[in-house]
Amino acid sequence: MTDNVLVEVLRGAVVESRHSGAVAVVDADGRVVLALGDIERAVYPRSAVKALQALPLIESGAADRYGLTDAELALACASHGGEPDHVATAKAMLKRAGLDASALRCGPHPPMHQPSAVALYRAGVTPSALHNNCSGKHAGFLCLACALDADPRGYLEPTQPAQLAVKAAIESISGAVLTDDRRGIDGCSAPTWAVPLKHLALAFARFGTGHSLAPERAKAAARLRAACAAHPWHVAGSGRFCTEVMRLLGARVFVKVGAEGVYCGALPGQGLGLAVKCDDGGGRAAEVVTAAMIVRFAALSDRDRAALEHFVRPVLHNWNGLTVGALRPTELLLA
Amino acid sequence: MTDNVLVEVLRGAVVESRHSGAVAVVDADGRVVLALGDIERAVYPRSAVKALQALPLIESGAADRYGLTDAELALACASHGGEPDHVATAKAMLKRAGLDASALRCGPHPPMHQPSAVALYRAGVTPSALHNNCSGKHAGFLCLACALDADPRGYLEPTQPAQLAVKAAIESISGAVLTDDRRGIDGCSAPTWAVPLKHLALAFARFGTGHSLAPERAKAAARLRAACAAHPWHVAGSGRFCTEVMRLLGARVFVKVGAEGVYCGALPGQGLGLAVKCDDGGGRAAEVVTAAMIVRFAALSDRDRAALEHFVRPVLHNWNGLTVGALRPTELLLA
């Protein structure tokens, strides 16, 4: 690892903390447009590839067979906040395949959306697997397993049809070989494979353009992008980065967060894919980097740039609401 | 900044994230026993110096005048979890000075101790400034202000008697000059000054031994250490690192967390002070580093070493309770 400080955290006039990381911006032919840090290093994309994991849901015919709506497809690509409508949407997806929440193997956690968590506690409700930020992805996996006539109870097993299809989709679109020695278990118990950052960016350049994809895959990717652009709230939730960016920019940008400081994204108009990894796993820094990359490469209007400024240089407030500092991208990120 | 990776985060067999940082271990004469990273760099100690901020509370006579108990003195040094007894202790401290929660200027936040936060929500109670992890420190500041016959409403002002006394104590014990260009506002609105890591370690070597301190200061430091050793739960709370370590090792180790990846500590038996800063502000890594330093320098029995192992190499579980990875210290930290 080299010393690529991408984001500084200021308190008053002093740099209090700093985040190193790597960024790959790649076109659909694999040409590297920008490389910061080690983009050959394999990183777990975690939730940042949910949209790629959802490709077989469409390609298998499962989405049509169960009549999934665009909002439901967006939720399959989501790390949602567990807000009431997210939960209801996940439930509806399961119902379409004749299942209920007991089929989910993602584990329970309180809604990431704090007011929704507080509302649950106030109502005396215990958080369930439906509140897990991955419940939409898992509902999608379950629809896929059912459409493949596989036992839904094994839908997370790396050797069962659903995960084999997911793995094949990621391998093919990224051009990376996914090996067992680079397989981990995700927070939601799904398998996750480490992929070189360059290949993650390539995957999203292809996802965003359809370039070099089989026609069915290009169609599936376009359908997922359109679903997320039409329903950005379902991809994350109230006040969240992915939602706010796609609400502002619509189909011009696809962007998705992953745990441990990962972001992946596509700029279809520019034919580019983007992958970001903050070395230390810091999500706050990965968000700044991603916002800076969108501003740099997405050919935005001054107005759109201004609307993203609070993501590029977020101001930090304390418990009394006083301004105490800010995050800022370093020169490495600025064109 | 150099590339000092101190902690790696594993998922399966792959290093998913890594944390760089700096460590200073110094004796009470200022001799550097261990230096990793840049220990001359000024870092905000944040809550890690609460015990130093509490020195004037004793030296001014305020602690005796208001009859503060040892548990209350420990809470003055604490980043507590907002558990019910923490809140009750902070309230009692304020009452001793004829004040109530309305005097606190730290701002409200939900208890850091999750079950206590959930219990509050279930009861329909809104978190107050008493639940702020710094409420004990602020109650101590208020006792100090009152004992100095200062207007308690100005107790956070850098130019008022209470904060002038706090600043003078930190300057004197650390040997560092605290300048306005290195002053920030802490999460609780108290002033915080950036101090070179080496000087933070020196301050805690002196705090732990009394060496080279005026007799009154050495006595105050010993009283605070004894209070924290006797009431480690009041310094943090259920399941927390500082509490668990001091519960295990008693007066042999003083240790205190600060925000943004800081720890300070003292090993009185070895005459050493310790200061840790994780470059990216990651608390999980700072905890591993601090645990590794205690194991390395505190001359522990095999049994005590074994009891700290889960802090040195914490295992990571996911929402289903599956083991998904671990944190581990790098070779740099191992003797």
Side-chain angles (χ1 to χ4, degrees):
Chain A
M1 193 182 66
T2 52
D3 177 17
N4 285 283
V5 175
L6 302 182
V7 175
E8 293 176 327
V9 182
L10 290 157
R11 181 168 298 266
V14 176
V15 174
E16 178 165 32
S17 301
R18 59 201 86 199
H19 296 271
S20 302
V23 181
V25 181
V26 173
D27 74 15
D29 290 317
R31 273 186 294 261
V32 176
V33 173
L34 179 71
L36 297 172
D38 180 3
I39 68 169
E40 308 290 342
R41 182 156 67 92
V43 305
Y44 289 117
R46 311 289 301 273
S47 292
V49 292
K50 277 174 175 166
L52 308 184
Q53 292 173 304
L55 287 167
L57 176 64
I58 294 177
E59 294 166 11
S60 68
D64 288 333
R65 176 161 162 189
Y66 298 118
L68 296 182
T69 66
D70 276 357
E72 290 165 355
L73 289 177
L75 199 79
C77 303
S79 296
H80 65 71
E83 299 179 60
D85 270 7
H86 294 136
V87 172
T89 306
K91 227 178 194 165
M93 292 172 74
L94 292 166
K95 200 175 169 192
R96 288 178 186 280
L99 299 168
D100 62 25
S102 67
L104 292 171
R105 298 275 181 275
C106 48
H109 69 67
M112 295 198 302
H113 181 247
Q114 201 51 22
S116 296
V118 171
L120 272 201
Y121 294 131
R122 292 226 160 108
V125 177
T126 303
S128 77
L130 285 168
H131 300 99
N132 187 309
N133 73 89
C134 301
S135 67
K137 178 179 78 171
H138 281 248
F141 283 161
L142 281 160
C143 288
L144 172 63
C146 291
L148 296 174
D149 290 324
D151 184 345
R153 287 172 301 182
Y155 79 94
L156 290 181
E157 292 301 320
T159 55
Q160 293 293 302
Q163 292 305 325
L164 287 172
V166 167
K167 181 185 176 186
I170 296 176
E171 276 197 313
S172 151
I173 198 167
S174 71
V177 180
L178 307 186
T179 55
D180 279 352
D181 59 318
R182 286 181 177 176
R183 190 180 79 212
I185 303 170
D186 212 325
C188 65
S189 297
T192 177
W193 283 269
V195 176
L197 208 62
K198 192 174 74 176
H199 285 272
L200 287 172
L202 172 61
F204 278 89
R206 290 170 169 175
F207 179 80
T209 59
H211 183 77
S212 91
L213 300 181
E216 279 309 302
R217 172 145 299 168
K219 231 173 101 183
R223 186 166 163 192
L224 288 170
R225 284 191 285 116
C228 293
H231 300 276
W233 181 85
H234 283 83
V235 180
S238 303
R240 296 266 304 279
F241 179 80
C242 297
T243 295
E244 293 296 319
V245 169
M246 291 196 281
R247 191 173 272 162
L248 178 73
L249 301 176
R252 287 183 284 157
V253 171
F254 173 86
V255 66
K256 181 67 188 68
V257 69
E260 288 290 327
V262 175
Y263 268 92
C264 288
L267 306 176
Q270 288 70 39
L272 298 177
L274 165 71
V276 172
K277 168 71 182 179
C278 179
D279 290 333
D280 57 75
R284 65 181 179 182
E287 194 169 295
V288 166
V289 173
T290 304
M293 291 299 94
I294 291 170
V295 165
R296 179 162 166 182
F297 289 104
L300 302 180
S301 67
D302 288 348
R303 194 178 157 176
D304 287 340
R305 279 171 177 261
L308 290 179
E309 181 64 15
H310 70 291
F311 288 124
V312 179
R313 290 177 184 79
V315 174
L316 301 174
H317 303 278
N318 74 1
W319 297 113
N320 279 320
L322 298 177
T323 297
V324 294
L327 275 69
R328 69 179 177 201
T330 63
E331 291 295 325
L332 288 173
L333 294 176
L334 305 175
Chain B
M1 195 182 62
T2 53
D3 176 17
N4 285 284
V5 175
L6 301 182
V7 175
E8 292 176 327
V9 182
L10 290 157
R11 180 167 300 265
V14 177
V15 174
E16 178 166 32
S17 300
R18 59 201 85 200
H19 295 271
S20 302
V23 181
V25 181
V26 173
D27 74 14
D29 290 318
R31 274 186 293 260
V32 176
V33 172
L34 179 71
L36 297 172
D38 181 3
I39 68 169
E40 308 290 340
R41 182 157 66 92
V43 305
Y44 289 117
R46 310 290 300 272
S47 292
V49 292
K50 277 174 175 166
L52 309 184
Q53 292 174 305
L55 288 167
L57 176 64
I58 294 177
E59 293 166 10
S60 68
D64 287 333
R65 175 163 163 187
Y66 297 118
L68 296 183
T69 66
D70 276 358
E72 289 165 354
L73 289 177
L75 199 79
C77 303
S79 296
H80 66 72
E83 299 178 62
D85 270 7
H86 294 136
V87 172
T89 306
K91 226 176 192 167
M93 292 173 74
L94 292 166
K95 199 175 168 192
R96 288 179 186 278
L99 300 168
D100 62 25
S102 67
L104 292 171
R105 297 275 181 275
C106 48
H109 69 67
M112 295 197 302
H113 181 246
Q114 202 50 22
S116 296
V118 171
L120 271 200
Y121 294 131
R122 291 226 160 110
V125 177
T126 303
S128 77
L130 285 168
H131 299 100
N132 187 308
N133 74 90
C134 301
S135 67
K137 178 179 80 172
H138 282 248
F141 284 161
L142 281 160
C143 289
L144 173 62
C146 290
L148 296 174
D149 290 323
D151 183 345
R153 287 172 300 183
Y155 79 93
L156 289 181
E157 292 301 321
T159 55
Q160 294 292 302
Q163 292 305 325
L164 287 172
V166 167
K167 181 185 177 187
I170 296 176
E171 276 197 313
S172 150
I173 198 167
S174 72
V177 180
L178 308 187
T179 55
D180 278 352
D181 59 318
R182 287 181 177 176
R183 191 180 78 212
I185 303 170
D186 212 325
C188 64
S189 297
T192 178
W193 283 269
V195 177
L197 208 61
K198 192 173 75 176
H199 285 272
L200 288 172
L202 173 61
F204 278 89
R206 291 171 169 175
F207 178 81
T209 58
H211 183 76
S212 90
L213 299 180
E216 279 309 302
R217 172 147 299 169
K219 230 172 102 183
R223 186 167 164 191
L224 289 170
R225 283 191 287 116
C228 292
H231 300 276
W233 181 85
H234 283 82
V235 180
S238 304
R240 295 266 304 279
F241 180 81
C242 297
T243 294
E244 293 296 318
V245 170
M246 291 196 280
R247 191 174 272 162
L248 179 72
L249 301 176
R252 288 183 285 157
V253 171
F254 173 86
V255 65
K256 182 66 189 68
V257 69
E260 288 290 327
V262 176
Y263 269 93
C264 288
L267 307 176
Q270 288 70 40
L272 297 177
L274 165 72
V276 172
K277 167 70 183 181
C278 179
D279 290 335
D280 57 74
R284 64 181 180 182
E287 194 168 296
V288 166
V289 173
T290 304
M293 291 299 95
I294 291 170
V295 165
R296 180 163 166 181
F297 289 105
L300 301 180
S301 67
D302 288 348
R303 194 177 156 176
D304 287 340
R305 278 171 179 262
L308 290 178
E309 181 64 14
H310 71 289
F311 288 124
V312 178
R313 289 177 184 78
V315 174
L316 300 174
H317 303 278
N318 75 359
W319 297 112
N320 280 319
L322 298 177
T323 297
V324 295
L327 275 69
R328 68 179 178 200
T330 63
E331 291 294 324
L332 288 174
L333 293 176
L334 305 174

